[in-house]
Amino acid sequence: MNEVRTRFAPSPTGYLHIGGLRTALYTYLIARKNHGTFILRIEDTDQDRFVEGAVELIYHTLKLVGIEHDEGPDIGGPYGPYVQSERKPVYQKYAKKLVDLGGAYYCFCTEERLNHLRETGGHHGTFRYDGHCRNLPREEVERRLQAGEPYVIRQKVPKTGTTTFQDELFGTITVENSTLDDGILLKSNGMPTYNLANVVDDHLMKINPVVRGSEYLSSTPKYNLLYETFGWEIPRYIHLSPVMREPGKKLSKRDGDASFEDFYKQGFLKEAILNYVALLGWSPNDNREFFTLKELEEVFDIRGLSKSPAIFDINKLRWMNGEYIKKQDPEEFHEMALPWYKKAGLPENMDLRRVSSLVQSRTEVLNEIPAMISFLAELPEYDAALFIHKRSKTTVENSRENLAKAIQVLDKLPDWTEGNIQQALNDLIASLGLKNSLVFWPVRIAASGQKVTPGGAVEILGLLGKQESMRRLRIGLEKLKAAGGPE
RNA sequence: GCUCCCAUGGUCAAGAGGUUCAAGACACCGCCCUCUCACGGCGGUAACAGGGGUUCGAAUCCCCUUGGGAGUACCA
């Protein structure tokens, strides 16, 4: 059996989209699972679409998530160069060879003629090259070439018959050759199109299987025709179904576009993103859903790949991210959370490790942290109505009474620790013979000014320190007094 | 328009003709835990797109319809 060599071949046109990341992942896993080689190739034959810094971003992202290539532009390898723009002469050589073999031909049609054809050809998308230059006499071709006329090299697709190929996932696919266009292989600027470059490079770099998005499914027959006229062995194919967004629900700029980089910056863990993406269109043969990259390298199997498009569900990613966060070592979480505490403006002297212990189990995405804890930095404006909570049986009246008593007790505490606070409040509750919530609820509300908080009254008071706590509790009491009701 | 591909709950999906009057996960709902929320525990709602075949038997095979995706560029 031949060595497995797969390649991830992105175009440097911007950030790495989630779908692209998944393609990279699967391609990588197929190589690793088979103890093969994983190659990175940059497909930059369209210089107009080149985006500055895109290549670096690809390196960075792949490295960050741990998808490391064995051959590629930055590390070299026996089949380089791995950047298509640097392989220009190679394509020209093979394009001409193709002409000699009768699988392609020179075409001198101008942009204008083609546009005219398009306009008069009926509906959009119905254009097919009319074969104008398909059978030009050899002498005429030579003459025009000599004259320096701009040209393009087109594939000469048979007019009749069918072409069939096998896809490991989709099975046998057959198309009528008559539906295939004489596509351009070599552009007038001497650069190849994908149609030529992928075939030449995959062959020269001994890529097998060829793994790519399903958007190439319908053009694969044309590539096979090329392999055939070259007399090259046709590779195995694995086409991957796409990842889509929720229909009608475009991800806004605010949510961040669906690039790895954006999610990462928002506070999604790289392991969680990779794990989620792995499961988008693939499932293991059991019900497991938590995998490290290393584990995926062991268990990945293309039989688990799905043929239908998968919709990216941010909800499940969030959940999975939350699971990863919960499983994090507390110290590790603390380190990751720190920048977000700064963003929330927490006081320098606050016990941030304690904050972390309260926040870790409540965080799905790191960027929710500031909103969750900003009340610790500053008491929000709030209404006395917050003191009313049906289930805790609190009212403005009893809150006023109990908060006042709590203030008395707490004010006397010499040593402001959670343990002491808890003890003092418990004692108070016991002496009054009340339900816990009757005291804890108003205290927590006054301390935080929020209905929902990470941690309870005791933890919050502990974090705030005595001075700030007492200040807030008294503000709460004033609010309650102002809210009226019988004394 | 034409060509190719796909089709199990809102989403990801298991299921490769009979042990499935269809797993699991997210989301949602309820209960428990509880000083709020979250966590955790327990339970629930929810699907084989429709119609024809084939077969003793179909989510599983075939056809049609419908829906979705892709291609139809001197983009990849």
Side-chain angles (χ1 to χ4, degrees), chain A residues 5 41 86 141 204 273 293 351 389 464 481:
Chain A
R5 290 172 56 84
R41 184 171 77 213
E86 295 169 17
V141 171
L204 259 24
I273 300 173
L293 217 215
D351 181 357
H389 183 66
L464 291 173
K481 284 180 178 168

Side-chain angles (χ1 to χ4, degrees), chain A residues 165 167-170 210-217 220 237-241 305-306:
Chain A
F165 75 98
D167 182 272
E168 306 270 320
L169 236 187
F170 290 93
V210 166
V211 184
R212 61 174 38 146
S214 64
E215 64 266 29
Y216 296 108
L217 215 41
T220 297
Y237 289 108
I238 301 175
H239 285 91
L240 270 17
S241 56
L305 285 172
S306 167

Side-chain angles (χ1 to χ4, degrees), chain A residues 427-467:
Chain A
D427 290 347
L428 174 67
I429 287 163
S431 71
L432 296 173
L434 296 174
K435 184 172 159 17
N436 280 356
S437 57
L438 245 23
V439 170
F440 282 119
W441 179 274
V443 171
R444 190 179 61 83
I445 294 299
S448 67
Q450 272 181 196
K451 185 174 182 183
V452 172
T453 56
V458 174
E459 290 88 346
I460 294 168
L461 291 179
L463 282 168
L464 291 173
K466 184 168 185 181
Q467 197 182 3

